Amino acid sequence: MLASHQRAFQHLQVPVLVLSLCPDVDTAAAWDSQVGHPFRHVVWAPDTPPASAYAQLGFRRSLAGVWSEASLGWYAEQSAAGVELHSSRGQDVNQLAGDLVVDAAGRLVLPYYGVDNTDRPSLGTVLRAAAVASAAGDKQALHARLQYVQGYMHALAASAPQAAAPAAEPRTTAAAIVDSVTTTVAASAGAVSGAVAGAAEEEECVE
Amino acid sequence: MVLRQEPCSCGMDTSAPGETAGRRLLWVQRGDPTEFEPHFVHTDELSLNAFTEALLASTKRPLQLGRDGDGQVVLGPQRAGSADRSAGKRTAVGANTSKSNHWNDFVEGLGTADFVTQGTVQAVPAVGENSTSATAISAAAISLLAEQCEACVDGVLQGLTVHDDASMQVAFEALSVPELTRRVKELGALISKRAHCLKTLGATRTAQLSATVAALQSSTIYAATAERYAHATLRWQRVLASMQAAMSAASADASLRPPLRVGDALPQVHTHETTPLHPVLAAHRGAVLVLLRHFG
């Protein structure tokens, strides 16, 4: 989970904000308590239904993405491992989700749309995108941040190989992610694109 | 079919009910109440319930008994050519029959076969086959899961007239969105079924289940089981695809925007107290927005 890597995001000065289908503050607080994470949980405005917000951000609903063999297989793994599966509390189980990394100006650096309930970008991909967002076009800053991310991932791989090892291959291909991030980087920092391309080398998923 | 458990009457090592180690003798009744097949079951690493469930599924194929590497009697799938010795009335044990004598006669006639064992017992190569007892357990579990998958898909399609993919989609399109949502949830039962299957296989990941199915496909004995599982999951996929198409047509959401792309501006989406998200971003050097799925 990203929660284990908060210090990396703090170093990059890019906070992680949680957005959800929770309709109000109380429900969001209940989820926070259940999961236990250090991030800010941003709740939609009362006149902005969560489903509408998701739709405005391009997140679609999908039966195939939620009820397929691969999707239910993930829940089965959790169940077999003794993890308690919680109620959806009436929220739309067919709503897909994902991760958006944006810069301070609100421009997308990494749009990642999960195609099913397990599809999330790797930690390395998110961190590299956060580095790009944080650098705000400053070539030297970008280089330093990407170096930091590279070191962080190497240290993670050394200390917890299983954490850095592929948990699952993201359905949105690593190549596409690298392409999208590299597109942003290339104009100002061609020299570090190799570090960005390292996103394909590790695949620890966000969730 | 009824399973009943009895103390061993033929000198084999058995365990009392409730114990998790050792072996148990199970008399499996087939059809006629007087017909029982004796099945010895290792329970070292597998619960009796899990095995029983797998056994119930596997008995759609003939079973036979044999010996493992330690000379212990175990249950296994029927070997080609041995049907006359192992199935049906040949193994029947009536109320007035000496189970011990019958058992011994029966086992003596079998020779080496495929065996059902539980992890700690050495797998014994079968005569003419390279499969192992663990494969038999896996096949039984996969067979059961295929059956459960079919049942869940049948639940989704219940009451609908479906001849092919086209008629299936038409049938789904005639349903309301709430009804589609209700029906698709029939598949949710497969979570516990698959979890149970994983435990039976001693697996933790779905990929291991897939690998097991792939391994069965190359077996002459269990290829049909793998085929049945593949058929069940393919049918599952086709039903989902049809439901998705019907759902999309019925609930086209005008507010759904195309996916954002690199460089796009984040749409103005208001958060609590009508605060746009953008000031939150501007206060930092950007943000990672993690959009969750449903609660839980």
Side-chain angles (χ1 to χ4, degrees):
Chain A
M1 289 182 65
L2 285 184
S4 306
H5 308 286
Q6 188 187 19
R7 68 182 176 92
F9 292 100
Q10 287 175 333
H11 179 90
L12 296 171
Q13 298 177 277
V14 175
V16 175
L17 303 178
V18 174
L19 296 144
S20 70
L21 295 170
C22 294
D24 52 51
V25 174
D26 290 343
T27 310
W31 189 88
D32 294 342
S33 175
Q34 176 183 300
V35 174
H37 67 87
F39 306 127
R40 181 175 174 183
H41 192 153
V42 181
V43 181
W44 306 109
D47 60 350
T48 304
S52 171
Y54 274 59
Q56 288 182 58
L57 294 173
F59 290 96
R60 63 190 177 86
R61 301 171 74 243
S62 171
L63 297 182
V66 175
W67 301 96
S68 67
E69 182 187 16
S71 300
L72 295 192
W74 182 84
Y75 285 112
E77 288 176 3
Q78 302 299 304
S79 176
V83 176
E84 184 182 357
L85 302 180
H86 297 279
S87 164
S88 63
R89 298 199 181 190
Q91 295 176 12
D92 185 0
V93 298
N94 299 321
Q95 176 67 58
L96 294 181
D99 300 83
L100 305 175
V101 179
V102 294
D103 63 17
R107 283 190 300 271
L108 264 294
V109 174
L110 173 66
Y112 194 101
Y113 292 90
V115 298
D116 64 29
N117 58 353
T118 65
D119 185 21
R120 292 280 178 172
S122 70
L123 172 65
T125 295
V126 176
L127 284 175
R128 288 177 177 89
V132 172
S134 175
D138 182 324
K139 190 183 299 185
Q140 285 190 328
L142 177 59
H143 182 75
R145 284 164 170 74
L146 288 175
Q147 290 283 11
Y148 168 79
V149 171
Q150 199 163 24
Y152 185 86
M153 294 305 298
H154 283 161
L156 181 64
S159 63
Q162 61 273 48
E169 183 69 25
R171 312 305 191 283
T172 305
T173 65
I177 296 303
V178 171
D179 285 348
S180 67
V181 176
T182 305
T183 299
T184 307
V185 174
S188 60
V192 296
S193 59
V196 174
E201 294 173 2
E202 49 72 37
E203 299 294 347
E204 186 194 9
C205 290
V206 168
E207 281 194 337
Chain B
M1 186 171 64
V2 176
L3 284 175
R4 66 173 179 171
Q5 185 177 336
E6 290 189 357
C8 180
S9 60
C10 53
M12 302 299 295
D13 175 27
T14 59
S15 302
E19 289 187 3
T20 56
R23 298 181 175 85
R24 288 190 174 87
L25 173 59
L26 298 176
W27 294 95
V28 180
Q29 180 187 8
R30 292 179 181 278
D32 186 330
T34 64
E35 293 182 11
F36 286 88
E37 289 180 2
H39 294 163
F40 271 95
V41 181
H42 292 275
T43 56
D44 306 24
E45 297 179 356
L46 194 68
S47 74
L48 182 61
N49 285 343
F51 181 83
T52 302
E53 199 166 336
L55 181 64
L56 287 167
S58 72
T59 49
K60 290 184 176 176
R61 289 188 308 277
L63 298 168
Q64 71 178 33
L65 293 163
R67 294 183 186 277
D68 66 12
D70 297 327
Q72 301 292 346
V73 179
V74 291
L75 166 71
Q78 179 181 300
R79 191 159 48 89
S82 60
D84 58 335
R85 296 181 305 187
S86 63
K89 293 183 181 298
R90 177 66 183 83
T91 62
V93 180
N96 298 322
T97 305
S98 165
K99 287 173 182 165
S100 178
N101 291 338
H102 183 91
W103 171 269
N104 290 332
D105 291 345
F106 174 61
V107 171
E108 286 301 316
L110 287 177
T112 308
D114 288 339
F115 298 107
V116 171
T117 60
Q118 310 290 310
T120 58
V121 178
Q122 291 292 318
V124 179
V127 175
E129 278 291 341
N130 198 28
S131 58
T132 66
S133 56
T135 309
I137 282 280
S138 300
I142 297 296
S143 176
L144 177 62
L145 185 58
E147 183 179 326
Q148 291 165 334
C149 179
E150 291 281 7
C152 284
V153 172
D154 286 344
V156 173
L157 295 172
Q158 189 173 27
L160 302 180
T161 303
V162 173
H163 306 294
D164 50 28
D165 286 1
S167 63
M168 182 157 57
Q169 185 159 336
V170 168
F172 281 136
E173 285 175 350
L175 301 177
S176 66
V177 171
E179 176 62 8
L180 281 171
T181 302
R182 186 196 66 77
R183 282 176 179 264
V184 79
K185 288 181 178 177
E186 295 276 343
L187 296 170
L190 283 171
I191 293 174
S192 60
K193 307 297 185 190
R194 291 175 70 85
H196 189 82
C197 183
L198 286 176
K199 289 179 181 176
T200 303
L201 297 177
T204 58
R205 306 299 296 264
T206 295
Q208 293 170 277
L209 193 158
S210 301
T212 300
V213 174
L216 294 178
Q217 283 174 332
S218 61
S219 162
T220 54
I221 297 177
Y222 303 113
T225 298
E227 181 65 26
R228 184 184 180 196
Y229 180 81
H231 178 267
T233 53
L234 178 62
R235 184 165 172 247
W236 177 358
Q237 291 172 15
R238 289 166 57 192
V239 166
L240 266 184
S242 287
M243 294 187 91
Q244 179 69 61
M247 175 78 87
S248 299
S251 62
D253 187 348
S255 67
L256 177 62
R257 295 191 181 189
L260 300 168
R261 304 201 301 186
V262 173
D264 283 354
L266 190 71
Q268 290 281 355
V269 185
H270 286 222
T271 53
H272 193 52
E273 297 173 348
T274 66
T275 302
L277 205 51
H278 288 71
V280 179
L281 307 179
H284 300 278
R285 301 188 70 86
V288 176
L289 308 179
V290 177
L291 285 102
L292 306 176
R293 291 188 63 247
H294 58 82
F295 200 108

